[in-house]
Amino acid sequence: MTSTDPTPSRVLVLNSGSSSVKYQLLDMAGSTRLASGLVERIGEETSRLVHTPLTGGDKRELTGPIADHGAALKAVSEELAKDGLGLDSPELAAIGHRVVHGGLKFSAPTVITEEVMAEIERLVPVAPLHNPANITGIRTAQALRPDLPQVAVFDTAFHTTMPEHAARYAIDVETADAHRIRRYGFHGTSHAYVSRETAKLLGKDPSEVNVIVLHLGNGASASAVRGGVCVDTSMGLTPLEGLVMGTRSGDIDPAVTFHLERVAGMSTDEIDVLLNKKSGLVGLCGDNDMREIRRRIDAGDQRAALAFDIYIHRLKKYIGAYYAVLGKVDAVAFTAGVGENAAPVREAAVLGLEELGLAVDGELNAVRSDAPRLISPEYARVAVAVVPTDEELEIATQTYALVRSGT
Ligand code: AMP
């Protein structure tokens, strides 16, 4: 770099799935988003790239076979180059990767070295669906820009502060330790971001407030955050535990799995698919989109109504549980696709909890907005908030801070 070159301030955020890559390019100096997009159905004939320039220009869509993650990232790079944002630019400071499982070792964003890769690899048995895809994404990005720092931001990191009594399952300790079976929690980047933003909304420092964060998307999880520190969360060894989700059952008696094996003759893989992909809202009523479920309820559909009630009942139980865990709650924050958009879910989740200081104001709850906002009436002891999550911004912020600190 010459002395006239600007300090690199762009960060590319990559969220790599087994057959997809979501990306966002941000400029951290001006806190602006430059572009975002998605490549899906990688490895199929019908791959699709949707690219959105965010500083002007129209959304572009490309269809046709994209063989692998390498080809996907190359196609993304070509699209970015058309907007003058090519990944070969000296302005790119780092690439930040969402990595789902960091186990206990990674409690903070980490510059990726071969040792770090080996540890992410070692965690594949506890995250078989996610970590291999993340590894592929990292290798691909390393090949594209071997000169750049690549940073891993772990979904589990925020939850590594959970005390042992919240993180351990009540099973034989030797067996648990031998196989690293414990509660790790996920969506941590979102829980961290939303709990901090909630404190900001209340005009307080995160260390001064206790927050229950309800991340309700297609995957869903709750967390109890005391003074900015996570003390419990609803997902466990895998993202299957906890709330009723779009396609996952959430909490279930583990004996159901023995029963399915012994009585229904299902294999372990079949049970895995049943509980992860064919359960939750989709298993209960055939739809996992809350918009469609609400439409069906309004049309008098009983199955959709029961699915909604089961979803809300579980949500309420977690609010109550985390209220008890925290002792004192300053705010309950709703986030992600359902939490940010579905007013009836927010209303139903706190209905009847007035004695706990929780209430929702009908008018405030009905407002549609992208901004963090309070939806509780003034008299309520506990603030109820809608706080849009922004995992990409959080990954970019953590990545940039780490690179700037020279760690
Ligand atoms: P996420 O995983 O955070 O992207 O959330 C996706 C889910 O959010 C979808 O499956 C829908 O159930 C829900 N969702 C998105 N938009 C709305 C909306 N306007 N009203 C109700 N639910 C919505």
Side-chain angles (χ1 to χ4, degrees), residues 31-147:
S31 290
T32 45
R33 262 169 246 263
L34 303 172
S36 73
L38 161 75
V39 188
E40 57 187 358
R41 298 195 288 274
I42 295 170
E44 295 179 31
E45 287 300 304
T46 57
S47 314
R48 190 168 81 115
L49 191 163
V50 181
H51 177 83
T52 311
L54 299 172
T55 52
D58 290 332
K59 194 188 251 195
R60 300 192 291 273
E61 192 174 322
L62 275 86
T63 46
I66 296 177
D68 52 28
H69 282 72
L73 201 54
K74 195 159 163 283
V76 169
S77 185
E78 282 164 13
E79 285 312 303
L80 286 166
K82 288 181 196 165
D83 303 324
L85 300 168
L87 295 183
D88 52 357
S89 163
E91 288 180 66
L92 192 60
I95 301 181
H97 297 266
R98 176 189 182 214
V99 180
V100 169
H101 216 311
L104 285 183
K105 203 154 190 169
F106 299 113
S107 55
T110 305
V111 174
I112 299 170
T113 60
E114 280 310 307
E115 290 78 52
V116 172
M117 285 301 270
E119 185 59 26
I120 298 172
E121 191 100 47
R122 243 165 48 87
L123 288 160
V124 166
V126 284
L129 299 178
H130 295 104
N131 274 28
N134 300 151
I135 290 168
T136 307
I138 293 167
R139 289 283 182 221
T140 306
Q142 283 175 330
L144 190 80
R145 283 295 302 265
D147 57 315

Side-chain angles (χ1 to χ4, degrees), residues 10-352:
R10 288 183 193 159
V11 175
L12 176 71
V13 175
L14 289 181
N15 181 353
S16 306
S18 54
S19 64
S20 69
V21 179
K22 286 189 204 137
Y23 62 94
Q24 208 168 99
L25 183 67
L26 300 95
D27 188 339
M28 304 314 288
S31 290
T32 45
R33 262 169 246 263
L34 303 172
S36 73
L38 161 75
V39 188
E40 57 187 358
R41 298 195 288 274
I42 295 170
E44 295 179 31
E45 287 300 304
T46 57
S47 314
R48 190 168 81 115
L49 191 163
V50 181
H51 177 83
T52 311
L54 299 172
T55 52
D58 290 332
K59 194 188 251 195
R60 300 192 291 273
E61 192 174 322
L62 275 86
T63 46
I66 296 177
D68 52 28
H69 282 72
L73 201 54
K74 195 159 163 283
V76 169
S77 185
E78 282 164 13
E79 285 312 303
L80 286 166
K82 288 181 196 165
D83 303 324
L85 300 168
L87 295 183
D88 52 357
S89 163
E91 288 180 66
L92 192 60
I95 301 181
H97 297 266
R98 176 189 182 214
V99 180
V100 169
H101 216 311
L104 285 183
K105 203 154 190 169
F106 299 113
S107 55
T110 305
V111 174
I112 299 170
T113 60
E114 280 310 307
E115 290 78 52
V116 172
M117 285 301 270
E119 185 59 26
I120 298 172
E121 191 100 47
R122 243 165 48 87
L123 288 160
V124 166
V126 284
L129 299 178
H130 295 104
N131 274 28
N134 300 151
I135 290 168
T136 307
I138 293 167
R139 289 283 182 221
T140 306
Q142 283 175 330
L144 190 80
R145 283 295 302 265
D147 57 315
L148 274 191
Q150 312 268 339
V151 173
V153 178
F154 298 94
D155 251 28
T156 45
F158 185 59
H159 305 303
T160 54
T161 50
M162 273 196 290
E164 281 294 286
H165 58 255
R168 274 202 181 266
Y169 291 111
I171 63 170
D172 172 67
V173 172
E174 278 77 35
T175 308
D177 288 350
H179 300 287
R180 294 197 278 183
I181 297 169
R182 60 185 287 125
R183 310 188 54 256
Y184 293 98
F186 298 88
H187 292 147
T189 308
S190 176
H191 286 283
Y193 176 82
V194 171
S195 56
R196 267 204 331 270
E197 289 297 303
T198 305
K200 210 187 275 177
L201 186 66
L202 300 181
K204 302 227 166 120
D205 189 80
S207 64
E208 298 172 313
V209 293
N210 293 349
V211 186
I212 297 173
V213 178
L214 303 170
H215 177 111
L216 310 177
N218 199 27
S221 63
S223 68
V225 183
R226 176 180 289 132
V229 175
C230 178
V231 293
D232 207 349
T233 195
S234 60
M235 285 178 165
L237 173 74
T238 77
L240 184 54
E241 191 179 343
L243 299 172
V244 175
M245 310 181 208
T247 66
R248 298 187 196 121
S249 63
D251 294 337
I252 198 165
D253 180 346
V256 169
T257 58
F258 320 147
H259 188 79
L260 288 170
E261 212 172 313
R262 293 181 188 135
V263 179
M266 290 175 75
S267 69
T268 306
D269 285 348
E270 284 168 342
I271 298 169
D272 192 330
V273 170
L274 177 81
L275 297 181
N276 273 298
K277 301 239 153 68
K278 297 183 181 172
S279 296
L281 292 170
V282 89
L284 287 165
C285 74
D287 271 309
N288 61 336
D289 192 314
M290 192 53 80
R291 285 163 289 203
E292 184 57 17
I293 291 171
R294 290 302 311 172
R295 200 196 55 72
R296 284 173 56 187
I297 293 171
D298 291 344
D301 186 321
Q302 293 300 311
R303 255 182 88 192
L306 179 60
F308 185 82
D309 289 349
I310 294 169
Y311 182 94
I312 296 296
H313 183 68
R314 184 84 52 87
L315 195 51
K316 225 174 219 178
K317 288 212 288 195
Y318 269 93
I319 294 173
Y322 287 172
Y323 208 118
V325 165
L326 291 169
K328 171 181 170 289
V329 177
D330 297 287
V332 172
F334 287 89
T335 194
V338 175
E340 290 167 29
N341 296 297
V345 168
R346 299 190 296 254
E347 184 188 349
V350 302
L351 190 69

